[in-house]
Amino acid sequence: MPTIKDIAKRAGVSGATVSRVINNLPNVKPETREKVQKSIDEMQYYPNSLARGMRSKKTNSIGLVLADITNPFYAETAKTIIELAGRHDYSIILCNTNNDLNEQHKYIDVLLQRKVDGFIFASVHCKDPSLDPVIASKVPCILYNRRMLQNDHINYVVLDNELGAYMAVEHLYNLGHRRIALVRGPNTFSTGRERFNGYLKALKSFGLKYDEKIVLQGKYSEKQSYDAAIKLISSKDRPTAIFASNDLMALSVLEAVISSGLRVPEDIAVVGFDDIEIASHSAIQLTTISQNRNMMAEIALDSLRKMINKESLQLPVQVVLKPMLTVRKTCGSKNPTSRN
Amino acid sequence: MPTIKDIAKRAGVSGATVSRVINNLPNVKPETREKVQKSIDEMQYYPNSLARGMRSKKTNSIGLVLADITNPFYAETAKTIIELAGRHDYSIILCNTNNDLNEQHKYIDVLLQRKVDGFIFASVHCKDPSLDPVIASKVPCILYNRRMLQNDHINYVVLDNELGAYMAVEHLYNLGHRRIALVRGPNTFSTGRERFNGYLKALKSFGLKYDEKIVLQGKYSEKQSYDAAIKLISSKDRPTAIFASNDLMALSVLEAVISSGLRVPEDIAVVGFDDIEIASHSAIQLTTISQNRNMMAEIALDSLRKMINKESLQLPVQVVLKPMLTVRKTCGSKNPTSRN
DNA sequence: TTGTACGCGTTATCAT
DNA sequence: ATGATAACGCGTACAA
């Protein structure tokens, strides 16, 4: 592989001049520039970004740590972030934790060694010691979608999950439901916790009493959620509606209801959370809580970039976006959200 | 950020010894090793992988270039590859081309600068000049899922797409269908081309005549496929079955059929290709052609690793895996594939 | 068992 | 406008 020296030799100039050409710096005679460029093209020279990184102390790479890339919510996030990052010459090193703290810890280690310029975490637990090294390293970092507890100075962009859950239950209540079950996410994730709180808050404000028998743990797992729904369905005081903590879980709830021979929404209404793309499919038509993922991703990346470039920016960045209710068929409403 | 020298100073040894400890090399007195390790921990030292890469000429990184991470087929692939790569200490730099040759070209440029140890492409076009620099660079490289035409020495792992398509049509034929439409992928992708050929081959072998009016271009796009299906449905000599070139397209076909007030499979049978996870959902139950993505991904990564490590390996690697027909509900068969 | 010294490819500084 | 040189952090050959 040719280096800057090979190009220099070939073009009959010094390495310094080649560097000037590569970096489009001034003070190079046009003819020299051309000559050098020609050698670069002929030799198929690619500047070594490792060497550049060593000098400049910047790698132009960002570590993106996701909970689960096969969840469309994260896949869509990844797509947006990769694209936006690329526009600013950042590469994305993608890590997938499966919500495993050990995995995350290992990835953080690797990313710290790779000297990424910044981190985006879409995977943290409420209490997450694996992030300590990142914080200690002072490498810019922002949380996405989930946040941590008791870490008041860390940056994040999240949704108002409590409000989202409240809106879901409110909608079901307005449709006449009085026994509304919850297939919830774990307390160890802020989303699971906050959506549960929103559910509670809604029950209280509508005068419904909390019944722990119809609040089951789905663990953000499809299998668990399916089982939870089966349990709800076969209980003797069956709920008339099920609110699931995310769309993937809601899909599993739908599976359970359908395979039990019941109808959605006539026998049981279902509402999800996230508005992943398949939710709008004709065969699914899931009523759900939407969030503007693109905006959330954009805010995360832009903030991170500013931190990296030490641009002025009010720290910590702590943005909470508003959710939206998207009404489709699974809730039984006669007034679906109009399409744009 | 502490460097190897800082650790050396703190532990009262030379940099060489620290290096020996980091790399678990022999010839270090146990006490010395401990002492050094202690300094490493205390100072939160992370070896600089840029510097290591410069010396060793290896970055332990692999460029994964995908057509579309939001397509579950690719997301599931990415997940597997990231996990397997991690086990062997490789990081994945993820690129998403949206099937745009220009994007791919740019990403290749970046990855070549980053000196990735290898490439996995799940995004190539049949004729794809953007790959020339990769080939010229001699950096190990393997294609996944799609291959190129007229490039006999390049490595790939693909499915027998022609056979897969043949099996789909054969199945529909056996169920009594005689007018089978195709919503196809573009000729510019080997998958689109090969699946089309399989369709043709099946028609011929069952004595059905090819009717170009029921072979429409879906371009691997959901919108296009929806429109194509609408067109098929409203044609006066309506097909009784539609075979779509991938599952995402099949889902759009389903949407079109459902929203036209027709029933699947009674009015129109539908078969897809890929067996993405949602295909098995109760509300969808898509009959489709399955491929063993995990195996395909594993072969790709293992082969690549061997090339990188210059282990003995029969080159070029050109693996063609066999597809499987997974029968669910959308084809109208009474005998769904048994579940494992 | 441990240390010294050089080079990996680049950029920034200083000189010419 | 161009060139020489040092430095970034690490691994390794060689010396001790």
Side-chain angles (χ1 to χ4, degrees), chain A residues 28 31 129 235 239 282 328:
Chain A
V28 181
E31 315 148 38
S235 68
S282 310
R328 298 203 180 91

Side-chain angles (χ1 to χ4, degrees), chain B residues 190-246:
Chain B
S190 63
T191 46
R193 187 183 288 248
E194 291 165 3
R195 290 171 196 177
F196 173 62
N197 287 339
Y199 169 83
L200 284 187
K201 207 166 175 178
L203 290 191
K204 180 175 281 183
S205 90
F206 301 124
L208 302 178
K209 77 164 201 297
Y210 171 67
D211 180 355
E212 61 175 16
K213 286 197 298 296
I214 57 171
V215 173
L216 298 181
Q217 185 56 260
K219 286 193 177 172
Y220 284 148
S221 130
E222 302 175 52
K223 170 91 180 66
Q224 289 267 344
S225 305
Y226 184 91
D227 294 345
I230 290 292
K231 203 164 166 185
L232 288 171
I233 291 165
S234 47
S235 68
K236 64 171 185 290
D237 193 5
R238 197 171 77 195
T240 63
I242 302 178
F243 170 43
S245 198
N246 78 8

Side-chain angles (χ1 to χ4, degrees), chain B residues 14 16-17 20 27 29 32 54-55 57:
Chain B
S14 76
T17 299
R20 282 188 264 264
N27 297 331
K29 213 196 317 185
T32 312
M54 288 210 58
R55 288 284 328 185
K57 301 287 183 192

Side-chain angles (χ1 to χ4, degrees), chain A residues 77-89:
Chain A
T77 296
K79 177 179 175 161
T80 303
I81 288 184
I82 289 172
E83 177 175 343
L84 294 180
R87 284 195 209 152
H88 297 277
D89 292 319

Side-chain angles (χ1 to χ4, degrees), chain B residues 1 4 16-17 29 31 42 46 52 70 73 78 99 114 116 128 142 162 165 167 184 186 205 221 241 252 272 288-289:
Chain B
M1 280 233 181
I4 215 170
T17 299
K29 213 196 317 185
E31 316 147 38
E42 286 171 0
Y46 293 87
R52 299 180 111 176
T70 63
F73 172 82
N99 284 319
R114 290 194 180 272
V116 292
D128 198 332
I142 188 164
E162 192 174 302
M167 288 162 67
R184 57 165 303 185
S205 90
S221 130
S252 291
T288 188
I289 300 297

Side-chain angles (χ1 to χ4, degrees), chain A residues 233-234 238-239 254 256-264 266-268:
Chain A
I233 290 165
S234 46
R238 197 171 78 196
L254 285 180
V257 175
I258 295 170
S259 67
S260 299
L262 297 179
R263 293 160 307 161
V264 177
E266 293 83 352
D267 299 315
I268 295 192

Side-chain angles (χ1 to χ4, degrees), chain A residues 50 54 113, chain B residues 19 21-24 45-60:
Chain A
L50 297 187
M54 287 210 58
Q113 296 197 20
Chain B
S19 176
V21 172
I22 293 170
N23 296 293
N24 258 313
Y45 164 75
Y46 293 87
N48 184 322
S49 62
L50 297 187
R52 299 180 111 176
M54 288 210 58
R55 288 284 328 185
S56 65
K57 301 287 183 192
K58 303 187 84 271
T59 55
N60 275 322

